[in-house]
Amino acid sequence: MWVFLRSGYPLRILLSLRGEWMGRRGLPRSLVPGPPRRRYRKEALPALEVPVLPVTATEIRQYLRAHGIPFQDGHSCLRAPSPFVGASQLKDQTSATTSFSLFINKTTGRFLCMTSLAEGSWEDFQASVEGRGDGDREGVLLSEVPEAEDSEEVRRIWNRAIPLWELPELEEAQLARVMFGLTKVTDDTFRRFSVRYLRPARSLVFPWFSPGSLTLRGLKLLGAEGQGDGVRYVETTIPRPGAYHNLFGLPLINRRDVEVVLTSRELDSLALNQSTGLPTLALPRGTACLPPALLPYLEQFRRIVLWLGDDLRSWEAAKLFARKLNPKRCSLVRPGDQQPRPLEALNRGLNLSRILRSALPAWHKSIVSFRQLREEVLGELSNVEQVAGVRWSRFPDLNRLLKGHRKGELTVFTGPTGSGKTTFISEYALDLCTQGVNTLWGSFEISNVRLARIMLTQFAVGRLEEQLDKYDEWADRFEDLPLYFMTFHGQQSIRTVIDTMQHAVYVYDICHVVIDNLQFMMGHEQLSTDRIAAQDYIVGAFRKFATDSSCHVTLVIHPRKEDDDKELQTASIFGSAKVSGL
């Protein structure tokens, strides 16, 4: 029997449901020049990378002062002279501002040199300063140099794509504009952003250029499909989403620009720049994630406006991203009928500059009256279904009982040994993950390899061991999910686990954390010999984390032994008031 407890909801019994998963569709191999390819990686799982020792902004400042390194305090990073800049590059730096080309993230300690594009961890920087490094190394934006196969594929697609305004048939050009809602976007805007069109795939092609040059590093392809009365857009990125990120529109940014508008789609950036003339940048993964390694490229701006979309999920993402960027310099465009996403606003003839002027500050000292809350309340009343949370696609009974999966809540899941808790929770979490809910798994009882095998089988809705020829296809789709795994196994301290979760929320914008299970932290806490008191402390820590981080935590707890003919009750969970009172 499975028992599911959630704050604010009565005790429920959940039954296993069956259904089909919808995998993410990518660019068909038949539409990509060249033979099919397959990369074999040493890292079988996207395991969470956590610093060896957490570092704070204070410790970073103290280290820089102790080694006589001058620095400037920025919004989300510290700026300092870069040890990765060669002598020839130093001669080209004409001011004190440009010489401070190294950006060190205040939260993670990771650095990025804007001149050489070298990047690495805080430990890498310390090794370089103390002469323990391997000398200057060539880095790239965010990650390793894209594989040669990726680079070749990017070049092939880019060479096959042609500017939209150069399509030989006028009817085809008009159809493409209608499909993507670009009837009011001018050819000059397409030229300025170097947007092309891939005819075989009927997709727009958006380039990612290397920072500081026009070297082509990656592509995002956007295809349009009819879905009822509307249109569904399908994105494909090369390299794959987890391998490389960039900011669309970055080469158009001037060093003297002090204001920028961030959007979640490239189409919106085109519309905004054309209508307002302001610098605009499109996030690589939309509302799903703002990678911290992109923050140095946003340091120069004194004001950042986030206009991410027209639904509550976009609004929540805007507030989350503002916390990374420093809320004091951020303003948010609230979704509404008269404030839709930028491209729609352009097509409806709305004044985009006026909408930007109405953007709300992301930070205020305190809330003193209902006036500051009334628009938030109206938004929730107008979007009851969205406020209820992300709905499960495979579990209609969960939607009936819980309405949806919401941030900032704690869910407790319990059941006897062998009842299928881990199997069900993996399906429950995978359902949300396929809908874009960034998920972190903490599996302390079974290995990550075994857990990944279970989830991959559920994702493929079939026994892959009987059809290994399809393994690569399903593994590629599974790899693109926003899913991460803690590398812990066995007993762990609650402080270490919470630190890892906080790191994941900042770096990967995690919205859902699964802890399986609480018992693996009980024996590590020496706060009290009282087992119930120790459990209360741990559950309280997870509940506080969920509230403070606006992240949903699903916590698996083993119940005490009960007779086979006796149903589980709230008192079965060690009789803890803090757990059973949820």
Side-chain angles (χ1 to χ4, degrees):
M1 179 182 297
W2 297 328
V3 180
F4 197 89
L5 297 123
R6 188 171 183 173
S7 182
Y9 290 89
L11 191 68
R12 301 291 184 183
I13 298 175
L14 302 181
L15 302 177
S16 177
L17 302 173
R18 293 188 178 274
E20 293 190 5
W21 288 104
M22 298 298 292
R24 177 181 293 184
R25 176 182 171 185
L27 186 69
R29 291 187 186 274
S30 60
L31 299 180
V32 180
R37 62 185 179 85
R38 172 62 188 165
R39 291 192 303 241
Y40 291 93
R41 300 182 178 181
K42 294 181 180 179
E43 299 84 4
L45 300 172
L48 183 64
E49 296 181 2
V50 183
V52 178
L53 292 174
V55 63
T56 66
T58 301
E59 291 171 339
I60 296 174
R61 293 187 185 97
Q62 290 175 345
Y63 182 87
L64 295 176
R65 292 191 185 102
H67 288 80
I69 302 174
F71 64 89
Q72 299 170 351
D73 213 326
H75 301 286
S76 56
C77 301
L78 298 174
R79 297 185 62 177
S82 175
F84 303 97
V85 177
S88 59
Q89 293 171 309
L90 283 173
K91 292 179 182 179
D92 297 332
Q93 297 179 339
T94 57
S95 68
T97 301
T98 55
S99 65
F100 281 66
S101 61
L102 188 78
F103 289 76
I104 305 173
N105 189 290
K106 294 181 184 179
T107 302
T108 65
R110 290 193 66 87
F111 69 85
L112 171 65
C113 173
M114 299 287 278
T115 301
S116 67
L117 297 184
E119 59 96 27
S121 67
W122 175 241
E123 290 75 19
D124 294 334
F125 176 75
Q126 289 178 306
S128 176
V129 170
E130 298 168 15
R132 295 182 284 111
D134 297 329
D136 294 355
R137 66 185 183 89
E138 183 181 356
V140 298
L141 179 62
L142 253 188
S143 187
E144 59 191 20
V145 177
E147 296 183 9
E149 292 179 355
D150 278 333
S151 300
E152 182 62 28
E153 189 172 351
V154 166
R155 285 193 295 271
R156 285 199 302 262
I157 294 176
W158 184 247
N159 291 335
R160 287 190 64 181
I162 60 177
L164 189 62
W165 61 92
E166 293 183 3
L167 286 174
E169 298 180 10
L170 180 61
E171 293 79 6
E172 185 179 10
Q174 292 175 339
L175 177 60
R177 287 177 177 272
V178 171
M179 280 195 308
F180 296 98
L182 299 172
T183 55
K184 293 191 176 182
V185 178
T186 65
D187 290 345
D188 287 340
T189 301
F190 289 124
R191 289 191 186 96
R192 189 160 55 251
F193 284 88
S194 304
V195 179
R196 295 189 180 185
Y197 185 71
L198 185 63
R199 298 177 69 188
R202 295 185 178 181
S203 299
L204 292 176
V205 182
F206 302 102
W208 283 341
F209 293 110
S210 180
S213 70
L214 292 181
T215 303
L216 189 64
R217 296 298 308 279
L219 298 173
K220 177 181 282 190
L221 288 86
L222 183 68
E225 296 180 345
Q227 189 175 48
D229 296 333
V231 176
R232 183 172 75 96
Y233 295 112
V234 181
E235 293 183 353
T236 304
T237 63
I238 305 171
R240 301 176 73 90
Y244 180 75
H245 298 302
N246 204 317
L247 290 166
F248 174 70
L250 194 59
L252 300 179
I253 299 298
N254 190 291
R255 287 185 178 180
R256 293 186 295 272
D257 290 330
V258 295
E259 181 177 355
V260 70
V261 184
L262 295 184
T263 69
S264 61
R265 300 192 316 174
E266 290 76 11
L267 300 179
D268 292 329
S269 285
L270 299 178
L272 261 170
N273 182 264
Q274 175 179 304
S275 300
T276 66
L278 290 173
T280 60
L281 295 171
L283 300 177
R285 294 185 61 187
T287 59
C289 181
L290 171 57
L294 293 176
L295 299 184
Y297 296 94
L298 302 172
E299 277 291 295
Q300 75 179 70
F301 302 106
R302 293 200 294 266
R303 183 172 187 254
I304 298 177
V305 181
L306 292 100
W307 191 349
L308 301 186
D310 53 6
D311 56 11
L312 283 182
R313 196 166 182 179
S314 301
W315 176 247
E316 291 295 329
K319 292 190 288 187
L320 178 64
F321 296 166
R323 292 167 60 180
K324 284 187 181 181
L325 295 166
N326 189 341
K328 293 184 179 181
R329 63 168 174 159
C330 293
S331 297
L332 317 178
V333 175
R334 180 188 301 282
D337 182 60
Q338 294 303 310
Q339 297 185 166
R341 63 171 57 253
L343 182 60
E344 183 181 345
L346 174 67
N347 292 333
R348 287 170 52 181
L350 300 178
N351 190 321
L352 276 71
S353 296
R354 182 179 300 171
I355 295 176
L356 287 176
R357 288 195 296 269
S358 67
L360 303 174
W363 178 86
H364 50 76
K365 186 175 181 180
S366 61
I367 297 178
V368 295
S369 69
F370 177 71
R371 170 180 291 183
Q372 294 171 291
L373 289 174
R374 62 181 299 159
E375 293 300 323
E376 292 261 10
V377 175
L378 176 61
E380 295 208 357
L381 292 175
S382 304
N383 300 275
V384 175
E385 289 297 320
Q386 294 183 36
V387 173
V390 179
R391 298 174 69 84
W392 288 270
S393 60
R394 298 186 63 185
F395 302 109
D397 280 359
L398 276 184
N399 295 326
R400 179 175 55 83
L401 294 172
L402 306 177
K403 308 306 179 187
H405 181 272
R406 294 175 291 278
K407 295 181 180 181
E409 294 187 351
L410 173 69
T411 296
V412 173
F413 191 83
T414 189
T417 301
S419 61
K421 295 188 297 297
T422 299
T423 302
F424 175 78
I425 286 295
S426 64
E427 289 201 38
Y428 152 97
L430 192 57
D431 187 316
L432 299 169
C433 193
T434 57
Q435 299 182 64
V437 177
N438 297 4
T439 303
L440 173 65
W441 255 95
S443 177
F444 301 89
E445 191 167 9
I446 66 175
S447 69
N448 284 334
V449 173
R450 181 182 171 191
L451 175 62
R453 178 179 62 81
I454 293 172
M455 299 184 75
L456 179 59
T457 301
Q458 294 169 337
F459 181 66
V461 196
R463 297 175 62 86
L464 287 178
E465 60 267 29
E466 298 176 357
Q467 41 187 347
L468 293 179
D469 57 317
K470 296 184 178 180
Y471 173 78
D472 286 346
E473 175 186 351
W474 283 107
D476 283 345
R477 296 186 188 182
F478 190 74
E479 187 177 330
D480 287 341
L481 295 178
L483 179 64
Y484 303 88
F485 300 86
M486 297 187 199
T487 56
F488 300 132
H489 193 68
Q491 294 283 346
Q492 294 294 331
S493 71
I494 181 64
R495 185 68 261 167
T496 302
V497 175
I498 293 292
D499 285 344
T500 302
M501 291 161 57
Q502 289 173 339
H503 177 81
V505 168
Y506 179 83
V507 174
Y508 302 107
D509 296 297
I510 296 297
C511 302
H512 183 203
V513 179
V514 180
I515 300 296
D516 184 15
N517 61 65
L518 176 139
Q519 272 68 20
F520 281 89
M521 278 153 278
M522 293 284 291
H524 210 282
E525 301 302 323
Q526 306 296 328
L527 299 175
S528 172
T529 56
D530 187 343
R531 189 169 178 80
I532 293 179
Q535 178 175 282
D536 275 355
Y537 169 76
I538 295 172
V539 173
F542 282 126
R543 175 178 279 178
K544 185 177 186 301
F545 167 83
T547 302
D548 294 346
S549 303
S550 188
C551 177
H552 194 110
V553 177
T554 297
L555 181 60
V556 179
I557 298 180
H558 281 312
R560 69 187 181 192
K561 300 296 182 181
E562 301 281 10
D563 295 335
D564 292 340
D565 59 347
K566 185 178 179 180
E567 291 191 357
L568 293 178
Q569 306 294 326
T570 54
S572 301
I573 316 172
F574 293 125
S576 169
K578 184 159 287 188
V579 176
S580 58
L582 291 176

PDB file of all heavy atoms in Angstrom, residues 401-417:
ATOM      1  N   LEU A 401      -6.841  14.703  -6.817  1.00  0.00           N
ATOM      2  CA  LEU A 401      -6.598  14.823  -5.384  1.00  0.00           C
ATOM      3  C   LEU A 401      -5.766  16.054  -5.028  1.00  0.00           C
ATOM      4  O   LEU A 401      -6.062  16.760  -4.059  1.00  0.00           O
ATOM      5  CB  LEU A 401      -5.878  13.571  -4.873  1.00  0.00           C
ATOM      6  CG  LEU A 401      -6.657  12.252  -4.934  1.00  0.00           C
ATOM      7  CD1 LEU A 401      -5.743  11.102  -4.577  1.00  0.00           C
ATOM      8  CD2 LEU A 401      -7.857  12.300  -4.003  1.00  0.00           C
ATOM      9  N   LEU A 402      -4.703  16.308  -5.798  1.00  0.00           N
ATOM     10  CA  LEU A 402      -3.726  17.327  -5.431  1.00  0.00           C
ATOM     11  C   LEU A 402      -3.772  18.563  -6.314  1.00  0.00           C
ATOM     12  O   LEU A 402      -3.079  19.539  -6.037  1.00  0.00           O
ATOM     13  CB  LEU A 402      -2.308  16.736  -5.480  1.00  0.00           C
ATOM     14  CG  LEU A 402      -2.095  15.457  -4.660  1.00  0.00           C
ATOM     15  CD1 LEU A 402      -0.680  14.950  -4.867  1.00  0.00           C
ATOM     16  CD2 LEU A 402      -2.377  15.703  -3.194  1.00  0.00           C
ATOM     17  N   LYS A 403      -4.560  18.504  -7.405  1.00  0.00           N
ATOM     18  CA  LYS A 403      -4.718  19.608  -8.363  1.00  0.00           C
ATOM     19  C   LYS A 403      -3.485  19.819  -9.231  1.00  0.00           C
ATOM     20  O   LYS A 403      -3.594  20.092 -10.398  1.00  0.00           O
ATOM     21  CB  LYS A 403      -5.065  20.927  -7.632  1.00  0.00           C
ATOM     22  CG  LYS A 403      -6.246  20.819  -6.677  1.00  0.00           C
ATOM     23  CD  LYS A 403      -7.491  20.262  -7.354  1.00  0.00           C
ATOM     24  CE  LYS A 403      -8.640  20.143  -6.376  1.00  0.00           C
ATOM     25  NZ  LYS A 403      -9.810  19.457  -6.982  1.00  0.00           N
ATOM     26  N   GLY A 404      -2.296  19.708  -8.657  1.00  0.00           N
ATOM     27  CA  GLY A 404      -1.079  19.897  -9.437  1.00  0.00           C
ATOM     28  C   GLY A 404       0.144  19.904  -8.538  1.00  0.00           C
ATOM     29  O   GLY A 404       0.049  19.867  -7.305  1.00  0.00           O
ATOM     30  N   HIS A 405       1.302  19.953  -9.171  1.00  0.00           N
ATOM     31  CA  HIS A 405       2.590  19.966  -8.463  1.00  0.00           C
ATOM     32  C   HIS A 405       3.050  21.407  -8.344  1.00  0.00           C
ATOM     33  O   HIS A 405       3.286  22.090  -9.338  1.00  0.00           O
ATOM     34  CB  HIS A 405       3.600  19.149  -9.270  1.00  0.00           C
ATOM     35  CG  HIS A 405       4.959  19.059  -8.649  1.00  0.00           C
ATOM     36  ND1 HIS A 405       5.945  19.997  -8.884  1.00  0.00           N
ATOM     37  CD2 HIS A 405       5.507  18.153  -7.803  1.00  0.00           C
ATOM     38  CE1 HIS A 405       7.034  19.659  -8.220  1.00  0.00           C
ATOM     39  NE2 HIS A 405       6.798  18.556  -7.565  1.00  0.00           N
ATOM     40  N   ARG A 406       3.166  21.902  -7.090  1.00  0.00           N
ATOM     41  CA  ARG A 406       3.461  23.311  -6.850  1.00  0.00           C
ATOM     42  C   ARG A 406       4.797  23.477  -6.135  1.00  0.00           C
ATOM     43  O   ARG A 406       5.219  22.618  -5.369  1.00  0.00           O
ATOM     44  CB  ARG A 406       2.339  23.947  -6.004  1.00  0.00           C
ATOM     45  CG  ARG A 406       1.012  24.012  -6.719  1.00  0.00           C
ATOM     46  CD  ARG A 406      -0.089  24.538  -5.805  1.00  0.00           C
ATOM     47  NE  ARG A 406      -0.421  23.589  -4.753  1.00  0.00           N
ATOM     48  CZ  ARG A 406      -1.235  22.559  -4.920  1.00  0.00           C
ATOM     49  NH1 ARG A 406      -1.781  22.328  -6.090  1.00  0.00           N
ATOM     50  NH2 ARG A 406      -1.495  21.740  -3.923  1.00  0.00           N
ATOM     51  N   LYS A 407       5.422  24.612  -6.387  1.00  0.00           N
ATOM     52  CA  LYS A 407       6.687  24.929  -5.738  1.00  0.00           C
ATOM     53  C   LYS A 407       6.446  25.291  -4.273  1.00  0.00           C
ATOM     54  O   LYS A 407       5.359  25.703  -3.884  1.00  0.00           O
ATOM     55  CB  LYS A 407       7.373  26.093  -6.451  1.00  0.00           C
ATOM     56  CG  LYS A 407       7.796  25.804  -7.883  1.00  0.00           C
ATOM     57  CD  LYS A 407       8.487  27.012  -8.487  1.00  0.00           C
ATOM     58  CE  LYS A 407       8.923  26.743  -9.918  1.00  0.00           C
ATOM     59  NZ  LYS A 407       9.613  27.905 -10.523  1.00  0.00           N
ATOM     60  N   GLY A 408       7.518  25.159  -3.479  1.00  0.00           N
ATOM     61  CA  GLY A 408       7.466  25.599  -2.086  1.00  0.00           C
ATOM     62  C   GLY A 408       6.737  24.665  -1.153  1.00  0.00           C
ATOM     63  O   GLY A 408       6.474  25.025  -0.007  1.00  0.00           O
ATOM     64  N   GLU A 409       6.392  23.447  -1.607  1.00  0.00           N
ATOM     65  CA  GLU A 409       5.664  22.506  -0.759  1.00  0.00           C
ATOM     66  C   GLU A 409       6.518  21.271  -0.472  1.00  0.00           C
ATOM     67  O   GLU A 409       7.480  20.980  -1.184  1.00  0.00           O
ATOM     68  CB  GLU A 409       4.353  22.084  -1.422  1.00  0.00           C
ATOM     69  CG  GLU A 409       3.355  23.219  -1.573  1.00  0.00           C
ATOM     70  CD  GLU A 409       2.001  22.756  -2.072  1.00  0.00           C
ATOM     71  OE1 GLU A 409       1.878  21.568  -2.463  1.00  0.00           O
ATOM     72  OE2 GLU A 409       1.070  23.571  -2.087  1.00  0.00           O
ATOM     73  N   LEU A 410       6.125  20.562   0.584  1.00  0.00           N
ATOM     74  CA  LEU A 410       6.794  19.317   0.968  1.00  0.00           C
ATOM     75  C   LEU A 410       5.788  18.179   0.882  1.00  0.00           C
ATOM     76  O   LEU A 410       4.698  18.269   1.448  1.00  0.00           O
ATOM     77  CB  LEU A 410       7.350  19.416   2.390  1.00  0.00           C
ATOM     78  CG  LEU A 410       7.938  18.127   2.987  1.00  0.00           C
ATOM     79  CD1 LEU A 410       9.227  17.763   2.276  1.00  0.00           C
ATOM     80  CD2 LEU A 410       8.182  18.283   4.479  1.00  0.00           C
ATOM     81  N   THR A 411       6.135  17.135   0.154  1.00  0.00           N
ATOM     82  CA  THR A 411       5.290  15.948   0.034  1.00  0.00           C
ATOM     83  C   THR A 411       5.993  14.775   0.705  1.00  0.00           C
ATOM     84  O   THR A 411       7.180  14.546   0.465  1.00  0.00           O
ATOM     85  CB  THR A 411       5.027  15.605  -1.448  1.00  0.00           C
ATOM     86  OG1 THR A 411       4.289  16.665  -2.044  1.00  0.00           O
ATOM     87  CG2 THR A 411       4.247  14.317  -1.580  1.00  0.00           C
ATOM     88  N   VAL A 412       5.268  14.053   1.546  1.00  0.00           N
ATOM     89  CA  VAL A 412       5.810  12.862   2.211  1.00  0.00           C
ATOM     90  C   VAL A 412       5.153  11.637   1.598  1.00  0.00           C
ATOM     91  O   VAL A 412       3.925  11.563   1.485  1.00  0.00           O
ATOM     92  CB  VAL A 412       5.542  12.902   3.732  1.00  0.00           C
ATOM     93  CG1 VAL A 412       5.957  11.582   4.372  1.00  0.00           C
ATOM     94  CG2 VAL A 412       6.292  14.052   4.366  1.00  0.00           C
ATOM     95  N   PHE A 413       5.968  10.678   1.187  1.00  0.00           N
ATOM     96  CA  PHE A 413       5.477   9.461   0.537  1.00  0.00           C
ATOM     97  C   PHE A 413       5.969   8.271   1.352  1.00  0.00           C
ATOM     98  O   PHE A 413       7.160   8.170   1.646  1.00  0.00           O
ATOM     99  CB  PHE A 413       6.028   9.387  -0.887  1.00  0.00           C
ATOM    100  CG  PHE A 413       5.391   8.319  -1.727  1.00  0.00           C
ATOM    101  CD1 PHE A 413       4.197   8.542  -2.374  1.00  0.00           C
ATOM    102  CD2 PHE A 413       5.998   7.085  -1.862  1.00  0.00           C
ATOM    103  CE1 PHE A 413       3.613   7.556  -3.145  1.00  0.00           C
ATOM    104  CE2 PHE A 413       5.417   6.094  -2.623  1.00  0.00           C
ATOM    105  CZ  PHE A 413       4.227   6.333  -3.275  1.00  0.00           C
ATOM    106  N   THR A 414       5.042   7.381   1.696  1.00  0.00           N
ATOM    107  CA  THR A 414       5.430   6.258   2.544  1.00  0.00           C
ATOM    108  C   THR A 414       4.681   4.994   2.136  1.00  0.00           C
ATOM    109  O   THR A 414       3.639   5.059   1.480  1.00  0.00           O
ATOM    110  CB  THR A 414       5.163   6.564   4.026  1.00  0.00           C
ATOM    111  OG1 THR A 414       5.735   5.541   4.841  1.00  0.00           O
ATOM    112  CG2 THR A 414       3.676   6.668   4.320  1.00  0.00           C
ATOM    113  N   GLY A 415       5.217   3.867   2.514  1.00  0.00           N
ATOM    114  CA  GLY A 415       4.611   2.573   2.223  1.00  0.00           C
ATOM    115  C   GLY A 415       5.520   1.468   2.699  1.00  0.00           C
ATOM    116  O   GLY A 415       6.730   1.673   2.892  1.00  0.00           O
ATOM    117  N   PRO A 416       4.991   0.250   2.910  1.00  0.00           N
ATOM    118  CA  PRO A 416       5.807  -0.861   3.412  1.00  0.00           C
ATOM    119  C   PRO A 416       6.936  -1.211   2.453  1.00  0.00           C
ATOM    120  O   PRO A 416       6.888  -0.895   1.265  1.00  0.00           O
ATOM    121  CB  PRO A 416       4.794  -2.012   3.529  1.00  0.00           C
ATOM    122  CG  PRO A 416       3.457  -1.360   3.550  1.00  0.00           C
ATOM    123  CD  PRO A 416       3.574  -0.129   2.727  1.00  0.00           C
ATOM    124  N   THR A 417       7.946  -1.873   2.972  1.00  0.00           N
ATOM    125  CA  THR A 417       9.063  -2.329   2.157  1.00  0.00           C
ATOM    126  C   THR A 417       8.573  -3.247   1.046  1.00  0.00           C
ATOM    127  O   THR A 417       7.776  -4.149   1.283  1.00  0.00           O
ATOM    128  CB  THR A 417      10.089  -3.074   3.031  1.00  0.00           C
ATOM    129  OG1 THR A 417      10.554  -2.195   4.053  1.00  0.00           O
ATOM    130  CG2 THR A 417      11.256  -3.552   2.194  1.00  0.00           C
TER     131      THR A 417
END
